mmCIF file of all heavy atoms in Angstrom:
data_model
loop_
_atom_site.group_PDB
_atom_site.id
_atom_site.type_symbol
_atom_site.label_atom_id
_atom_site.label_comp_id
_atom_site.label_asym_id
_atom_site.label_seq_id
_atom_site.Cartn_x
_atom_site.Cartn_y
_atom_site.Cartn_z
ATOM 1 N N ARG A 1 6.041 -12.392 6.295
ATOM 2 C CA ARG A 1 5.676 -11.413 5.265
ATOM 3 C C ARG A 1 4.651 -12.010 4.285
ATOM 4 O O ARG A 1 3.645 -11.385 3.967
ATOM 5 C CB ARG A 1 6.940 -10.994 4.514
ATOM 6 C CG ARG A 1 6.731 -9.894 3.483
ATOM 7 C CD ARG A 1 7.968 -9.790 2.592
ATOM 8 N NE ARG A 1 9.183 -9.697 3.354
ATOM 9 C CZ ARG A 1 9.848 -8.570 3.576
ATOM 10 N NH1 ARG A 1 9.402 -7.440 3.087
ATOM 11 N NH2 ARG A 1 10.969 -8.587 4.277
ATOM 12 N N THR A 2 4.922 -13.249 3.832
ATOM 13 C CA THR A 2 4.017 -13.894 2.876
ATOM 14 C C THR A 2 2.686 -14.242 3.536
ATOM 15 O O THR A 2 1.621 -14.104 2.927
ATOM 16 C CB THR A 2 4.669 -15.164 2.302
ATOM 17 O OG1 THR A 2 5.900 -14.807 1.666
ATOM 18 C CG2 THR A 2 3.758 -15.841 1.287
ATOM 19 N N LEU A 3 2.730 -14.680 4.792
ATOM 20 C CA LEU A 3 1.489 -15.028 5.490
ATOM 21 C C LEU A 3 0.599 -13.800 5.644
ATOM 22 O O LEU A 3 -0.630 -13.886 5.492
ATOM 23 C CB LEU A 3 1.789 -15.637 6.858
ATOM 24 C CG LEU A 3 0.574 -16.116 7.659
ATOM 25 C CD1 LEU A 3 -0.226 -17.156 6.877
ATOM 26 C CD2 LEU A 3 1.000 -16.693 9.004
ATOM 27 N N ASP A 4 1.183 -12.642 5.933
ATOM 28 C CA ASP A 4 0.383 -11.410 6.006
ATOM 29 C C ASP A 4 -0.306 -11.136 4.674
ATOM 30 O O ASP A 4 -1.476 -10.747 4.627
ATOM 31 C CB ASP A 4 1.275 -10.224 6.377
ATOM 32 C CG ASP A 4 1.367 -10.017 7.888
ATOM 33 O OD1 ASP A 4 0.789 -10.834 8.624
ATOM 34 O OD2 ASP A 4 2.008 -9.044 8.315
ATOM 35 N N LYS A 5 0.439 -11.331 3.588
ATOM 36 C CA LYS A 5 -0.140 -11.119 2.256
ATOM 37 C C LYS A 5 -1.303 -12.075 2.010
ATOM 38 O O LYS A 5 -2.368 -11.667 1.515
ATOM 39 C CB LYS A 5 0.946 -11.311 1.190
ATOM 40 C CG LYS A 5 0.472 -11.114 -0.240
ATOM 41 C CD LYS A 5 0.080 -9.676 -0.525
ATOM 42 C CE LYS A 5 -0.272 -9.492 -1.988
ATOM 43 N NZ LYS A 5 -0.744 -8.115 -2.277
ATOM 44 N N VAL A 6 -1.115 -13.340 2.370
ATOM 45 C CA VAL A 6 -2.181 -14.333 2.192
ATOM 46 C C VAL A 6 -3.410 -13.960 3.015
ATOM 47 O O VAL A 6 -4.545 -13.984 2.527
ATOM 48 C CB VAL A 6 -1.677 -15.747 2.581
ATOM 49 C CG1 VAL A 6 -2.832 -16.734 2.658
ATOM 50 C CG2 VAL A 6 -0.639 -16.236 1.575
ATOM 51 N N MET A 7 -3.195 -13.600 4.288
ATOM 52 C CA MET A 7 -4.330 -13.266 5.160
ATOM 53 C C MET A 7 -5.092 -12.040 4.685
ATOM 54 O O MET A 7 -6.291 -11.908 4.939
ATOM 55 C CB MET A 7 -3.841 -13.050 6.597
ATOM 56 C CG MET A 7 -3.428 -14.316 7.318
ATOM 57 S SD MET A 7 -3.181 -14.066 9.096
ATOM 58 C CE MET A 7 -1.690 -13.052 9.101
ATOM 59 N N SER A 8 -4.427 -11.134 3.999
ATOM 60 C CA SER A 8 -5.071 -9.890 3.569
ATOM 61 C C SER A 8 -6.225 -10.129 2.604
ATOM 62 O O SER A 8 -7.127 -9.285 2.485
ATOM 63 C CB SER A 8 -4.042 -8.962 2.917
ATOM 64 O OG SER A 8 -3.644 -9.442 1.636
ATOM 65 N N PHE A 9 -6.224 -11.271 1.914
ATOM 66 C CA PHE A 9 -7.267 -11.534 0.925
ATOM 67 C C PHE A 9 -8.648 -11.675 1.563
ATOM 68 O O PHE A 9 -9.662 -11.426 0.904
ATOM 69 C CB PHE A 9 -6.922 -12.783 0.107
ATOM 70 C CG PHE A 9 -5.870 -12.541 -0.933
ATOM 71 C CD1 PHE A 9 -4.521 -12.657 -0.620
ATOM 72 C CD2 PHE A 9 -6.212 -12.188 -2.232
ATOM 73 C CE1 PHE A 9 -3.535 -12.438 -1.567
ATOM 74 C CE2 PHE A 9 -5.242 -11.959 -3.192
ATOM 75 C CZ PHE A 9 -3.892 -12.075 -2.858
ATOM 76 N N GLY A 10 -8.720 -12.070 2.821
ATOM 77 C CA GLY A 10 -10.011 -12.233 3.497
ATOM 78 C C GLY A 10 -10.782 -10.933 3.584
ATOM 79 O O GLY A 10 -11.924 -10.819 3.111
ATOM 80 N N GLU A 11 -10.164 -9.909 4.167
ATOM 81 C CA GLU A 11 -10.813 -8.608 4.289
ATOM 82 C C GLU A 11 -11.013 -7.949 2.924
ATOM 83 O O GLU A 11 -12.040 -7.311 2.673
ATOM 84 C CB GLU A 11 -9.975 -7.688 5.184
ATOM 85 C CG GLU A 11 -10.277 -7.774 6.667
ATOM 86 C CD GLU A 11 -9.803 -9.070 7.314
ATOM 87 O OE1 GLU A 11 -8.983 -9.776 6.694
ATOM 88 O OE2 GLU A 11 -10.246 -9.381 8.423
ATOM 89 N N TYR A 12 -10.015 -8.096 2.069
ATOM 90 C CA TYR A 12 -10.081 -7.461 0.741
ATOM 91 C C TYR A 12 -11.298 -7.960 -0.039
ATOM 92 O O TYR A 12 -12.053 -7.164 -0.607
ATOM 93 C CB TYR A 12 -8.785 -7.761 -0.030
ATOM 94 C CG TYR A 12 -8.632 -6.997 -1.314
ATOM 95 C CD1 TYR A 12 -8.189 -5.682 -1.314
ATOM 96 C CD2 TYR A 12 -8.932 -7.593 -2.531
ATOM 97 C CE1 TYR A 12 -8.055 -4.966 -2.505
ATOM 98 C CE2 TYR A 12 -8.801 -6.894 -3.725
ATOM 99 C CZ TYR A 12 -8.354 -5.584 -3.708
ATOM 100 O OH TYR A 12 -8.223 -4.886 -4.882
ATOM 101 N N LEU A 13 -11.501 -9.275 -0.033
ATOM 102 C CA LEU A 13 -12.618 -9.846 -0.788
ATOM 103 C C LEU A 13 -13.969 -9.527 -0.146
ATOM 104 O O LEU A 13 -14.925 -9.174 -0.846
ATOM 105 C CB LEU A 13 -12.434 -11.360 -0.919
ATOM 106 C CG LEU A 13 -11.371 -11.810 -1.924
ATOM 107 C CD1 LEU A 13 -11.015 -13.277 -1.715
ATOM 108 C CD2 LEU A 13 -11.840 -11.574 -3.362
ATOM 109 N N SER A 14 -14.066 -9.666 1.175
ATOM 110 C CA SER A 14 -15.364 -9.425 1.819
ATOM 111 C C SER A 14 -15.811 -7.972 1.630
ATOM 112 O O SER A 14 -16.973 -7.710 1.316
ATOM 113 C CB SER A 14 -15.309 -9.777 3.308
ATOM 114 O OG SER A 14 -14.537 -8.848 4.043
ATOM 115 N N CYS A 15 -14.884 -7.022 1.803
ATOM 116 C CA CYS A 15 -15.250 -5.604 1.676
ATOM 117 C C CYS A 15 -15.581 -5.238 0.233
ATOM 118 O O CYS A 15 -16.502 -4.452 -0.024
ATOM 119 C CB CYS A 15 -14.126 -4.722 2.214
ATOM 120 S SG CYS A 15 -13.975 -4.790 4.005
ATOM 121 N N TYR A 16 -14.837 -5.816 -0.709
ATOM 122 C CA TYR A 16 -15.145 -5.553 -2.124
ATOM 123 C C TYR A 16 -16.547 -6.060 -2.460
ATOM 124 O O TYR A 16 -17.344 -5.363 -3.106
ATOM 125 C CB TYR A 16 -14.113 -6.217 -3.034
ATOM 126 C CG TYR A 16 -14.467 -6.091 -4.490
ATOM 127 C CD1 TYR A 16 -14.203 -4.910 -5.182
ATOM 128 C CD2 TYR A 16 -15.114 -7.131 -5.170
ATOM 129 C CE1 TYR A 16 -14.558 -4.780 -6.522
ATOM 130 C CE2 TYR A 16 -15.470 -7.005 -6.508
ATOM 131 C CZ TYR A 16 -15.194 -5.824 -7.172
ATOM 132 O OH TYR A 16 -15.561 -5.703 -8.490
ATOM 133 N N ILE A 17 -16.863 -7.276 -2.021
ATOM 134 C CA ILE A 17 -18.180 -7.866 -2.311
ATOM 135 C C ILE A 17 -19.293 -7.025 -1.689
ATOM 136 O O ILE A 17 -20.331 -6.760 -2.320
ATOM 137 C CB ILE A 17 -18.239 -9.325 -1.814
ATOM 138 C CG1 ILE A 17 -17.341 -10.217 -2.699
ATOM 139 C CG2 ILE A 17 -19.675 -9.850 -1.807
ATOM 140 C CD1 ILE A 17 -17.127 -11.619 -2.158
ATOM 141 N N ILE A 18 -19.093 -6.573 -0.449
ATOM 142 C CA ILE A 18 -20.112 -5.754 0.224
ATOM 143 C C ILE A 18 -20.297 -4.427 -0.502
ATOM 144 O O ILE A 18 -21.430 -3.986 -0.760
ATOM 145 C CB ILE A 18 -19.722 -5.527 1.699
ATOM 146 C CG1 ILE A 18 -19.811 -6.854 2.478
ATOM 147 C CG2 ILE A 18 -20.620 -4.474 2.349
ATOM 148 C CD1 ILE A 18 -19.130 -6.821 3.823
ATOM 149 N N ALA A 19 -19.189 -3.770 -0.850
ATOM 150 C CA ALA A 19 -19.265 -2.481 -1.530
ATOM 151 C C ALA A 19 -19.948 -2.610 -2.893
ATOM 152 O O ALA A 19 -20.786 -1.782 -3.270
ATOM 153 C CB ALA A 19 -17.869 -1.886 -1.685
ATOM 154 N N GLU A 20 -19.598 -3.651 -3.651
ATOM 155 C CA GLU A 20 -20.201 -3.861 -4.968
ATOM 156 C C GLU A 20 -21.688 -4.168 -4.844
ATOM 157 O O GLU A 20 -22.505 -3.702 -5.643
ATOM 158 C CB GLU A 20 -19.479 -4.995 -5.695
ATOM 159 C CG GLU A 20 -18.156 -4.609 -6.292
ATOM 160 C CD GLU A 20 -18.292 -3.539 -7.366
ATOM 161 O OE1 GLU A 20 -19.109 -3.718 -8.297
ATOM 162 O OE2 GLU A 20 -17.601 -2.506 -7.255
ATOM 163 N N THR A 21 -22.047 -4.964 -3.849
ATOM 164 C CA THR A 21 -23.460 -5.285 -3.632
ATOM 165 C C THR A 21 -24.260 -4.021 -3.348
ATOM 166 O O THR A 21 -25.339 -3.801 -3.915
ATOM 167 C CB THR A 21 -23.617 -6.278 -2.461
ATOM 168 O OG1 THR A 21 -22.871 -7.469 -2.744
ATOM 169 C CG2 THR A 21 -25.074 -6.629 -2.237
ATOM 170 N N MET A 22 -23.725 -3.172 -2.476
ATOM 171 C CA MET A 22 -24.420 -1.923 -2.142
ATOM 172 C C MET A 22 -24.545 -1.014 -3.363
ATOM 173 O O MET A 22 -25.592 -0.408 -3.584
ATOM 174 C CB MET A 22 -23.668 -1.222 -1.002
ATOM 175 C CG MET A 22 -23.761 -1.983 0.312
ATOM 176 S SD MET A 22 -22.742 -1.278 1.624
ATOM 177 C CE MET A 22 -23.497 0.313 1.853
ATOM 178 N N SER A 23 -23.480 -0.938 -4.152
ATOM 179 C CA SER A 23 -23.506 -0.081 -5.344
ATOM 180 C C SER A 23 -24.570 -0.538 -6.338
ATOM 181 O O SER A 23 -25.279 0.283 -6.931
ATOM 182 C CB SER A 23 -22.130 -0.076 -6.012
ATOM 183 O OG SER A 23 -21.169 0.531 -5.177
ATOM 184 N N THR A 24 -24.687 -1.874 -6.536
ATOM 185 C CA THR A 24 -25.685 -2.392 -7.472
ATOM 186 C C THR A 24 -27.111 -2.168 -6.966
ATOM 187 O O THR A 24 -28.057 -2.229 -7.745
ATOM 188 C CB THR A 24 -25.489 -3.905 -7.733
ATOM 189 O OG1 THR A 24 -25.625 -4.631 -6.495
ATOM 190 C CG2 THR A 24 -24.119 -4.176 -8.338
ATOM 191 N N ARG A 25 -27.239 -1.886 -5.671
ATOM 192 C CA ARG A 25 -28.570 -1.617 -5.094
ATOM 193 C C ARG A 25 -28.830 -0.118 -4.956
ATOM 194 O O ARG A 25 -29.767 0.301 -4.273
ATOM 195 C CB ARG A 25 -28.699 -2.314 -3.740
ATOM 196 C CG ARG A 25 -28.619 -3.827 -3.837
ATOM 197 C CD ARG A 25 -28.732 -4.497 -2.486
ATOM 198 N NE ARG A 25 -28.520 -5.942 -2.601
ATOM 199 C CZ ARG A 25 -28.584 -6.792 -1.575
ATOM 200 N NH1 ARG A 25 -28.864 -6.342 -0.353
ATOM 201 N NH2 ARG A 25 -28.369 -8.085 -1.757
ATOM 202 N N GLY A 26 -27.974 0.670 -5.561
ATOM 203 C CA GLY A 26 -28.204 2.111 -5.575
ATOM 204 C C GLY A 26 -27.710 2.855 -4.354
ATOM 205 O O GLY A 26 -28.052 4.026 -4.153
ATOM 206 N N ILE A 27 -26.897 2.217 -3.512
ATOM 207 C CA ILE A 27 -26.328 2.880 -2.331
ATOM 208 C C ILE A 27 -24.944 3.397 -2.695
ATOM 209 O O ILE A 27 -24.050 2.615 -3.021
ATOM 210 C CB ILE A 27 -26.233 1.901 -1.131
ATOM 211 C CG1 ILE A 27 -27.610 1.310 -0.817
ATOM 212 C CG2 ILE A 27 -25.657 2.622 0.094
ATOM 213 C CD1 ILE A 27 -27.567 0.168 0.183
ATOM 214 N N LYS A 28 -24.767 4.687 -2.675
ATOM 215 C CA LYS A 28 -23.503 5.285 -3.078
ATOM 216 C C LYS A 28 -22.413 5.015 -2.035
ATOM 217 O O LYS A 28 -22.545 5.414 -0.877
ATOM 218 C CB LYS A 28 -23.678 6.794 -3.281
ATOM 219 C CG LYS A 28 -24.598 7.145 -4.444
ATOM 220 C CD LYS A 28 -24.740 8.646 -4.601
ATOM 221 C CE LYS A 28 -25.669 8.978 -5.778
ATOM 222 N NZ LYS A 28 -25.834 10.450 -5.939
ATOM 223 N N CYS A 29 -21.371 4.342 -2.464
ATOM 224 C CA CYS A 29 -20.281 4.010 -1.540
ATOM 225 C C CYS A 29 -19.013 3.747 -2.320
ATOM 226 O O CYS A 29 -19.045 3.599 -3.547
ATOM 227 C CB CYS A 29 -20.638 2.798 -0.676
ATOM 228 S SG CYS A 29 -20.816 1.256 -1.618
ATOM 229 N N GLU A 30 -17.890 3.677 -1.604
ATOM 230 C CA GLU A 30 -16.599 3.379 -2.212
ATOM 231 C C GLU A 30 -15.897 2.292 -1.413
ATOM 232 O O GLU A 30 -15.952 2.290 -0.175
ATOM 233 C CB GLU A 30 -15.711 4.633 -2.248
ATOM 234 C CG GLU A 30 -16.164 5.685 -3.235
ATOM 235 C CD GLU A 30 -15.264 6.910 -3.227
ATOM 236 O OE1 GLU A 30 -14.699 7.245 -2.166
ATOM 237 O OE2 GLU A 30 -15.131 7.538 -4.285
ATOM 238 N N PHE A 31 -15.250 1.388 -2.111
ATOM 239 C CA PHE A 31 -14.421 0.356 -1.488
ATOM 240 C C PHE A 31 -13.048 0.954 -1.211
ATOM 241 O O PHE A 31 -12.401 1.499 -2.108
ATOM 242 C CB PHE A 31 -14.315 -0.843 -2.433
ATOM 243 C CG PHE A 31 -13.236 -1.831 -2.089
ATOM 244 C CD1 PHE A 31 -13.221 -2.468 -0.857
ATOM 245 C CD2 PHE A 31 -12.229 -2.128 -3.007
ATOM 246 C CE1 PHE A 31 -12.229 -3.390 -0.545
ATOM 247 C CE2 PHE A 31 -11.236 -3.043 -2.708
ATOM 248 C CZ PHE A 31 -11.236 -3.669 -1.468
ATOM 249 N N LEU A 32 -12.599 0.883 0.046
ATOM 250 C CA LEU A 32 -11.304 1.455 0.425
ATOM 251 C C LEU A 32 -10.405 0.385 1.025
ATOM 252 O O LEU A 32 -10.730 -0.203 2.073
ATOM 253 C CB LEU A 32 -11.502 2.592 1.433
ATOM 254 C CG LEU A 32 -10.234 3.190 2.056
ATOM 255 C CD1 LEU A 32 -9.273 3.695 0.986
ATOM 256 C CD2 LEU A 32 -10.592 4.302 3.031
ATOM 257 N N ASP A 33 -9.302 0.121 0.361
ATOM 258 C CA ASP A 33 -8.273 -0.782 0.868
ATOM 259 C C ASP A 33 -7.463 -0.015 1.914
ATOM 260 O O ASP A 33 -6.803 0.976 1.592
ATOM 261 C CB ASP A 33 -7.378 -1.221 -0.289
ATOM 262 C CG ASP A 33 -6.338 -2.265 0.112
ATOM 263 O OD1 ASP A 33 -6.073 -2.398 1.325
ATOM 264 O OD2 ASP A 33 -5.781 -2.916 -0.791
ATOM 265 N N ALA A 34 -7.531 -0.449 3.173
ATOM 266 C CA ALA A 34 -6.888 0.280 4.277
ATOM 267 C C ALA A 34 -5.379 0.392 4.124
ATOM 268 O O ALA A 34 -4.736 1.211 4.795
ATOM 269 C CB ALA A 34 -7.228 -0.384 5.613
ATOM 270 N N ARG A 35 -4.792 -0.416 3.248
ATOM 271 C CA ARG A 35 -3.354 -0.314 3.006
ATOM 272 C C ARG A 35 -2.968 1.053 2.429
ATOM 273 O O ARG A 35 -1.811 1.469 2.532
ATOM 274 C CB ARG A 35 -2.898 -1.440 2.073
ATOM 275 C CG ARG A 35 -2.857 -2.797 2.760
ATOM 276 C CD ARG A 35 -2.562 -3.936 1.813
ATOM 277 N NE ARG A 35 -3.710 -4.252 0.958
ATOM 278 C CZ ARG A 35 -3.867 -5.401 0.316
ATOM 279 N NH1 ARG A 35 -2.942 -6.344 0.427
ATOM 280 N NH2 ARG A 35 -4.918 -5.632 -0.432
ATOM 281 N N LYS A 36 -3.955 1.758 1.883
ATOM 282 C CA LYS A 36 -3.688 3.091 1.332
ATOM 283 C C LYS A 36 -3.584 4.152 2.425
ATOM 284 O O LYS A 36 -2.958 5.196 2.205
ATOM 285 C CB LYS A 36 -4.812 3.484 0.361
ATOM 286 C CG LYS A 36 -4.898 2.630 -0.886
ATOM 287 C CD LYS A 36 -6.054 3.092 -1.757
ATOM 288 C CE LYS A 36 -6.167 2.240 -3.017
ATOM 289 N NZ LYS A 36 -7.323 2.663 -3.864
ATOM 290 N N ILE A 37 -4.197 3.901 3.585
ATOM 291 C CA ILE A 37 -4.292 4.964 4.596
ATOM 292 C C ILE A 37 -3.678 4.613 5.948
ATOM 293 O O ILE A 37 -3.466 5.501 6.776
ATOM 294 C CB ILE A 37 -5.765 5.391 4.812
ATOM 295 C CG1 ILE A 37 -6.625 4.204 5.259
ATOM 296 C CG2 ILE A 37 -6.329 6.040 3.561
ATOM 297 C CD1 ILE A 37 -8.013 4.577 5.718
ATOM 298 N N ILE A 38 -3.398 3.321 6.207
ATOM 299 C CA ILE A 38 -2.786 2.934 7.485
ATOM 300 C C ILE A 38 -1.403 2.373 7.217
ATOM 301 O O ILE A 38 -1.253 1.349 6.548
ATOM 302 C CB ILE A 38 -3.650 1.908 8.249
ATOM 303 C CG1 ILE A 38 -5.023 2.517 8.577
ATOM 304 C CG2 ILE A 38 -2.947 1.467 9.535
ATOM 305 C CD1 ILE A 38 -5.952 1.582 9.311
ATOM 306 N N LYS A 39 -0.389 3.055 7.731
ATOM 307 C CA LYS A 39 1.000 2.676 7.513
ATOM 308 C C LYS A 39 1.625 2.166 8.812
ATOM 309 O O LYS A 39 1.344 2.683 9.901
ATOM 310 C CB LYS A 39 1.802 3.855 6.970
ATOM 311 C CG LYS A 39 1.323 4.340 5.606
ATOM 312 C CD LYS A 39 1.486 3.255 4.536
ATOM 313 C CE LYS A 39 0.936 3.681 3.190
ATOM 314 N NZ LYS A 39 1.130 2.639 2.158
ATOM 315 N N THR A 40 2.487 1.159 8.671
ATOM 316 C CA THR A 40 3.068 0.494 9.843
ATOM 317 C C THR A 40 4.568 0.273 9.654
ATOM 318 O O THR A 40 5.121 0.561 8.590
ATOM 319 C CB THR A 40 2.409 -0.880 10.064
ATOM 320 O OG1 THR A 40 2.813 -1.762 8.992
ATOM 321 C CG2 THR A 40 0.898 -0.788 10.105
ATOM 322 N N ASP A 41 5.177 -0.312 10.697
ATOM 323 C CA ASP A 41 6.553 -0.785 10.569
ATOM 324 C C ASP A 41 6.548 -2.133 9.846
ATOM 325 O O ASP A 41 5.519 -2.557 9.323
ATOM 326 C CB ASP A 41 7.236 -0.878 11.938
ATOM 327 C CG ASP A 41 6.561 -1.890 12.875
ATOM 328 O OD1 ASP A 41 5.690 -2.662 12.408
ATOM 329 O OD2 ASP A 41 6.905 -1.920 14.064
ATOM 330 N N GLU A 42 7.675 -2.814 9.839
ATOM 331 C CA GLU A 42 7.791 -4.086 9.121
ATOM 332 C C GLU A 42 7.739 -5.288 10.057
ATOM 333 O O GLU A 42 8.300 -6.341 9.758
ATOM 334 C CB GLU A 42 9.083 -4.096 8.305
ATOM 335 C CG GLU A 42 9.094 -3.040 7.207
ATOM 336 C CD GLU A 42 10.344 -3.092 6.353
ATOM 337 O OE1 GLU A 42 11.227 -3.930 6.632
ATOM 338 O OE2 GLU A 42 10.442 -2.291 5.404
ATOM 339 N N GLN A 43 7.029 -5.166 11.157
ATOM 340 C CA GLN A 43 6.853 -6.284 12.086
ATOM 341 C C GLN A 43 5.663 -7.112 11.598
ATOM 342 O O GLN A 43 4.557 -6.998 12.106
ATOM 343 C CB GLN A 43 6.615 -5.774 13.508
ATOM 344 C CG GLN A 43 6.650 -6.868 14.564
ATOM 345 C CD GLN A 43 6.531 -6.291 15.965
ATOM 346 O OE1 GLN A 43 6.996 -5.198 16.221
ATOM 347 N NE2 GLN A 43 5.914 -7.044 16.859
ATOM 348 N N PHE A 44 5.922 -7.956 10.623
ATOM 349 C CA PHE A 44 4.855 -8.719 9.983
ATOM 350 C C PHE A 44 4.175 -9.652 10.988
ATOM 351 O O PHE A 44 4.823 -10.264 11.822
ATOM 352 C CB PHE A 44 5.407 -9.507 8.797
ATOM 353 C CG PHE A 44 5.994 -8.620 7.729
ATOM 354 C CD1 PHE A 44 7.364 -8.401 7.656
ATOM 355 C CD2 PHE A 44 5.163 -7.975 6.832
ATOM 356 C CE1 PHE A 44 7.899 -7.575 6.684
ATOM 357 C CE2 PHE A 44 5.681 -7.141 5.856
ATOM 358 C CZ PHE A 44 7.053 -6.937 5.787
#
């Protein structure tokens, strides 16, 4: 469970950085954390 949480920071940070970079360059976009839309069982 904890290892999944630790690993999640990789995608979270890269996508946030990409989305923010695009926004500062005038490209309209939104950063979406997939945890909001993809639900699973507890098989960590």
Side-chain angles (χ1 to χ4, degrees):
R1 185 193 310 259
T2 301
L3 183 58
D4 270 3
K5 180 67 175 176
V6 169
M7 288 192 291
S8 72
F9 283 87
E11 272 71 16
Y12 189 80
L13 285 165
S14 71
C15 289
Y16 174 80
I17 290 170
I18 292 166
E20 282 297 308
T21 302
M22 292 174 64
S23 294
T24 61
R25 297 179 186 181
I27 304 170
K28 294 180 180 179
C29 66
E30 289 180 329
F31 166 59
L32 173 56
D33 185 342
R35 286 173 286 199
K36 294 179 180 179
I37 59 170
I38 299 179
K39 297 297 176 179
T40 69
D41 63 10
E42 296 183 358
Q43 189 175 327
F44 299 99

